[in-house]
């Protein structure tokens, strides 16, 4: 049972500068009351209206782009370590606001409080990563075939980076993009999810404070709240060379088409249909924890959530029984209460999709092992709380092939590892994957070129919970983008090859003779 609205302490809203009505348009130095209407943010926790956020009009969007373009002219000239110092201070401010911002993420989005804190920690971690990166941004020196010539590569900032984020990670994904883009010398325009607008206002308030203290030019960090129409302005704008978009495959295809038509660059983080392969030599205790968290964490609304469990036939019944027992112990309720395991779905529409998916499982020949359903009664008045479900299926069912953003776990059997890998790869999505085994040969086959075709392939951990040190993203219809760690910074910059002739003659490449 969850607490009533009266028992939820909302002081964190005041600490983050969240009012009942909020401006939704900002150039990093000033807030503007958008003329495009108002977004209302209702908490899935208790159904209450948290606040309203104004929406950007087309004219206000144009103003922001103009500010961004002007800011870029100055920001790109700041030494990268100086830009990194600003990001370091943002990280410190996030540390000071971690408690409040984590609570807002949990209350507005519905994920558990621990996951809310974890998301803010990801922001802090990417700030630390970006600070170190600001003293690197390495190019290459290349041996020239011509005498008395030096050839090298260097990297320059792109310009304006558009960031379109999704509701399920309302603050972290923006930070993965913006912190790296800023140390690279880019400026950012952020179009947040219309389902979690208050989180964006809170983040911009934090950034505005740090930017003001460091005399950062107005326009380096812009925010434009609104619906898909605002997103279309951004994706169709040839002045924005890179669009980083997180969301559904359907949305990603539209973004890719719009950006591609103007020969812009896209960084796409789209759907996942993630599987764990459980072999006879798996540690079953470890498997249970990894699977349950992966399947029910964030109420199944992570792009890396575990959707499919591919179990060897010799241990299938044992694993199934353990999972059914574990699901019977799950506590569903207010995510701000840390005794609960599962919070709500984001809204009523998500509940309808969840219910339709369970019906589709039955219609297509699957068998429900752990019944789902919508929670009702005291504490569940928002109508967004559902029961995590388990279904026994085959991999070829259409509902299994599709991603359902909800806590539904599909179980299926395999007999050989090759068959299991084929099943794991047999979907259009290619984000995250895992194998549970203590057998080195099974592990290496899973990680080989003939193994998982996903951007993330784990051994003895689940599909969910990536660290910022590694580049995050997936293949196939997941979009091919990479964010966060490793060398993901390169997508925010343009590569330039330079050749310097310091000799007295002008020899041509490939030995070409051209005499005058």
């Amino acid at each position: 049972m969850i607490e009533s609205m009266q028992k939820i302490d909302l002081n964190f809203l005041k600490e983050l500068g969240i009012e009942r009505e909020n401006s939704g348009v900002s150039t990093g130095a000033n807030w503007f009351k958008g003329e495009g209407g108002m977004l209302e943010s209702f908490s899935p926790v208790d159904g209450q209206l948290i606040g309203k956020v104004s929406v950007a009009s087309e004219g206000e969007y144009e103003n922001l782009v103009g500010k961004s373009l002007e800011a870029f002219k100055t920001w790109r000239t700041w030494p990268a370590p100086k830009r990194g110092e600003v990001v370091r201070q943002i990280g410190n401010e996030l540390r000071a606001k971690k408690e409040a911002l984590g609570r807002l993420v949990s209350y507005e989005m519905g994920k558990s409080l621990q996951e809310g804190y974890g998301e803010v920690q990801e922001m802090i971690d990417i700030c630390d990563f970006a600070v170190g990166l600001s003293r690197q941004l390495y190019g290459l020196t290349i041996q020239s075939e011509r005498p008395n010539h030096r050839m090298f590569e260097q990297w320059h900032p792109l310009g304006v980076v558009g960031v379109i984020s999704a509701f399920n990670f309302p603050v972290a994904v923006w930070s993965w993009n913006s912190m790296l883009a800023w140390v690279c010398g880019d400026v950012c325009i952020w179009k947040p999810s219309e389902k979690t607008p208050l989180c964006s206002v809170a983040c911009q308030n934090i950034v505005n404070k740090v930017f003001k203290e460091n005399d950062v030019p107005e326009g380096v960090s812009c925010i434009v709240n609104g619906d898909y129409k605002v997103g279309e302005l951004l994706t169709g704008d040839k002045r924005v060379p890179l669009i980083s978009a997180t969301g559904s495959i359907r949305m990603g295809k539209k973004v890719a088409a719009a950006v591609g038509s103007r020969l812009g660059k896209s960084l796409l983080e789209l759907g996942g249909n993630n599987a764990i392969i459980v072999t006879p030599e798996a540690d079953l205790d470890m498997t249970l924890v990894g699977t349950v968290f992966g399947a029910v964490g964030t109420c199944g609304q992570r792009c890396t959530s575990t959707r499919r469990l591919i179990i060897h036939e010799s241990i299938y019944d044992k694993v199934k029984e353990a999972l059914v027992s574990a699901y019977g112990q799950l506590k569903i309720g207010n995510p701000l209460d840390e005794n609960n395991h599962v919070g709500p779905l984001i809204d009523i529409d998500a509940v309808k999709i969840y219910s339709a998916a369970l019906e589709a499982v039955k219609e297509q020949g699957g068998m429900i092992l752990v019944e789902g359903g919508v929670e009702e009664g005291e504490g569940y008045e928002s109508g967004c709380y559902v029961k995590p479900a388990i279904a026994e299926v085959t991999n070829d069912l259409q509902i299994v092939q599709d991603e359902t953003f909800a806590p539904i776990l599909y179980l299926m059997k395999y007999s050989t590892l090759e068959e299991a890998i084929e099943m794991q790869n047999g979907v259009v999505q290619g984000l995250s994957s895992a194998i549970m085994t203590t057998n080195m040969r099974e592990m290496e086959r899973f990680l080989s070129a003939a193994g998982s075709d996903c951007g993330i392939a784990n051994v003895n951990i689940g599909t969910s919970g990536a660290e910022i040190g590694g580049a995050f993203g997936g293949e196939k219809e997941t979009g091919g983008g990479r964010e966060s760690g490793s060398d993901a910074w390169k997508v925010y910059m343009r590569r330039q090859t330079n050749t310097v002739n310091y000799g007295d003659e002008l020899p041509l490449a490939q030995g070409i003779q051209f005499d005058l």
Side-chain angles (χ1 to χ4, degrees), residues 23-32 64 204 208 218 221-224:
S23 299
V25 185
S26 175
T27 57
N30 298 292
W31 282 99
F32 304 92
L64 261 67
Q204 187 76 348
N208 287 356
E218 180 182 9
S221 177
C222 291
I223 181 173
V224 281

Side-chain angles (χ1 to χ4, degrees), residues 266-288:
S266 297
L267 193 170
L268 300 175
E269 298 287 359
L270 310 176
N273 195 346
N274 316 295
I276 299 176
I277 297 172
V278 185
T279 82
E281 297 189 59
D283 181 319
L284 294 187
D285 290 336
M286 193 180 295
T287 298
L288 188 65

Side-chain angles (χ1 to χ4, degrees), residues 8 26 138:
I8 298 178
S26 175
Y138 297 132

Side-chain angles (χ1 to χ4, degrees), residues 88-102:
R88 185 190 68 81
Q89 293 177 37
I90 293 173
N92 285 344
E93 192 67 19
L94 287 167
R95 287 179 172 89
K97 293 289 194 294
K98 180 177 178 179
E99 171 77 19
L101 187 55

Side-chain angles (χ1 to χ4, degrees), residues 171-479:
V171 295
V173 170
W174 163 75
S175 71
W176 293 355
N177 286 276
S178 59
M179 302 308 160
L180 295 192
W182 286 337
V183 298
C184 289
D186 297 316
V187 299
C188 294
I189 299 178
W190 180 20
K191 191 276 178 195
S193 168
E194 55 266 41
K195 296 184 179 183
T196 51
L198 296 175
C199 284
S200 69
V201 174
C203 289
Q204 187 76 348
N205 283 336
I206 289 170
V207 169
N208 287 356
K209 176 178 181 293
V210 174
F211 277 14
K212 183 178 180 180
E213 293 169 350
N214 288 271
D215 295 320
V216 172
E218 180 182 9
V220 171
S221 177
C222 291
I223 181 173
V224 281
N225 270 288
D227 59 13
Y228 71 94
K229 295 178 182 178
V230 176
E232 288 177 348
L233 291 175
L234 200 55
T235 57
D237 195 334
K238 64 182 181 180
R239 297 166 296 181
V240 182
L242 172 64
I243 296 291
S244 175
T246 303
S248 68
I249 291 173
R250 180 180 58 83
M251 180 274 283
K253 288 181 177 179
K254 291 182 179 180
V255 170
V259 177
S261 69
R262 59 180 176 86
L263 299 182
K265 297 172 65 177
S266 297
L267 193 170
L268 300 175
E269 298 287 359
L270 310 176
N273 195 346
N274 316 295
I276 299 176
I277 297 172
V278 185
T279 82
E281 297 189 59
D283 181 319
L284 294 187
D285 290 336
M286 193 180 295
T287 298
L288 188 65
V289 173
T291 300
V292 176
F293 175 74
V296 309
T298 320
C299 202
Q301 297 171 111
R302 291 186 176 210
C303 51
T304 55
S305 290
T306 304
R307 310 285 176 203
R308 298 174 295 142
L309 199 65
I310 304 169
I311 311 165
H312 191 268
E313 57 192 9
S314 66
I315 56 170
Y316 183 84
D317 289 339
K318 185 175 183 179
V319 173
K320 179 174 70 173
E321 290 171 8
L323 280 169
V324 171
S325 176
Y327 269 54
Q329 301 172 46
L330 292 174
K331 297 178 182 177
I332 305 166
N334 177 8
L336 293 166
D337 180 350
E338 296 187 66
N339 291 315
N340 292 322
H341 300 105
V342 185
L345 289 171
I346 185 65
D347 56 24
I348 296 298
D349 287 341
V351 174
K352 293 177 181 176
I353 293 170
Y354 157 86
S355 298
L358 289 177
E359 286 302 313
V361 169
K362 299 172 186 176
E363 292 170 2
Q364 294 174 23
M367 183 173 70
I368 303 296
L369 298 176
V370 174
E371 290 288 342
V374 181
E375 294 280 16
E376 298 177 344
E378 185 179 357
Y380 302 116
E381 288 86 355
S382 71
C384 297
Y385 291 87
V386 300
K387 300 172 184 177
I390 300 177
E392 199 168 41
V393 298
T394 56
N395 200 49
D396 59 344
L397 298 188
Q398 186 59 54
I399 190 61
V400 176
Q401 292 286 310
D402 297 334
E403 178 189 34
T404 302
F405 232 45
I408 303 173
L409 178 64
Y410 301 119
L411 307 190
M412 55 196 79
K413 296 178 183 178
Y414 79 92
S415 56
T416 68
L417 183 58
E418 288 73 21
E419 178 190 2
I421 292 173
E422 185 176 350
M423 292 167 67
Q424 135 68 38
N425 294 343
V427 293
V428 298
Q429 307 87 351
L431 180 53
S432 187
S433 58
I435 189 170
M436 294 292 185
T437 181
T438 56
N439 183 307
M440 183 186 73
R441 290 177 176 173
E442 290 180 332
M443 174 188 76
E444 292 295 342
R445 285 157 80 181
F446 178 73
L447 298 177
S448 73
S452 170
D453 64 2
C454 293
I456 299 169
N458 297 328
V459 178
N460 292 329
I461 63 172
T463 60
S464 190
E467 298 180 30
I468 61 92
F472 179 88
E475 299 301 321
K476 301 189 293 187
E477 291 194 9
T478 299

